[in-house]
Amino acid sequence: MRTLIFRTVAPFLSSLMILFSVFVLLRGHNEPGGGFIGGLIAASALAIYGIAFGVSPVRRAIRFHPMALAGFGLLLAAIAGILSIFSHVPFLTGLWIYPKIFGVEVALSTPMMFDIGVYFVVFGSITSTALALEERERD
C-alpha cells in the first residue's frame, strides 16, 4: 500500500498523531486519556509512517531503539513510585511541587511522571513489535 497519495499524506498524518498523543498524555490525569492511550496513538503514528516508507526511515526518525525507550519509561515510572518512599509515605502516593517557570506557577507531580513513563513503555514496546513485524513481512 505504498501509493503516491499515502506516501504524501503519511508524514502529515503521523506528525498530527504524535502531537495529539502528547495532548492526550498531558490532559489524561484530569480527563480521559493518559500515558497508555497516548503511547498507543504515538505507536500507531509510527506504524503508519512505517507502512508508507519502510522500517529504516522510522528507525532513523526515532533515533533510539524502541526497547530502550520502553526501558527508560519503566525506569521513570519506578522512580515516580520510589520518590514517595523517600517522602515517608506509601509507595506510589502522589506528590506535587509548584515551581515558578518564567514567572508562571507550574504544578509538577509524580502521577504525571508515572503517566509519562507509561507513555514511553507503551510507545517503545508497541513500536518495537510493529517494526519487527514489518521487517519480517518485507523479507
Side-chain angles (χ1 to χ4, degrees):
M1 188 170 162
R2 292 186 177 196
T3 64
L4 178 63
I5 295 172
F6 186 58
R7 283 183 299 172
T8 304
V9 171
F12 299 112
L13 183 61
S14 296
S15 301
L16 186 63
M17 287 176 72
I18 294 286
L19 186 64
F20 182 66
S21 76
V22 172
F23 171 74
V24 169
L25 165 69
L26 294 178
R27 77 184 278 262
H29 208 72
N30 297 324
E31 296 179 22
F36 187 79
I37 301 301
L40 285 177
I41 294 169
S44 299
L46 289 186
I48 288 172
Y49 194 79
I51 291 169
F53 295 103
V55 174
S56 57
V58 173
R59 289 198 186 275
R60 280 194 307 268
I62 58 177
R63 298 184 185 201
F64 295 103
H65 193 279
M67 290 309 290
L69 293 174
F72 171 71
L74 187 61
L75 177 69
L76 200 61
I79 289 172
I82 292 171
L83 286 175
S84 61
I85 292 175
F86 289 127
S87 298
H88 305 293
V89 292
F91 184 70
L92 284 176
T93 300
L95 304 171
W96 282 262
I97 60 171
Y98 300 94
K100 288 194 178 214
I101 300 175
F102 299 115
V104 177
E105 190 174 84
V106 178
L108 299 177
S109 65
T110 55
M112 178 181 275
M113 187 176 175
F114 182 80
D115 272 349
I116 292 170
V118 169
Y119 178 89
F120 278 113
V121 168
V122 171
F123 174 71
S125 59
I126 299 296
T127 300
S128 180
T129 303
L131 291 177
L133 290 173
E134 182 77 16
E135 284 175 339
R136 188 174 183 188
E137 188 174 304
R138 297 271 182 227
D139 293 338

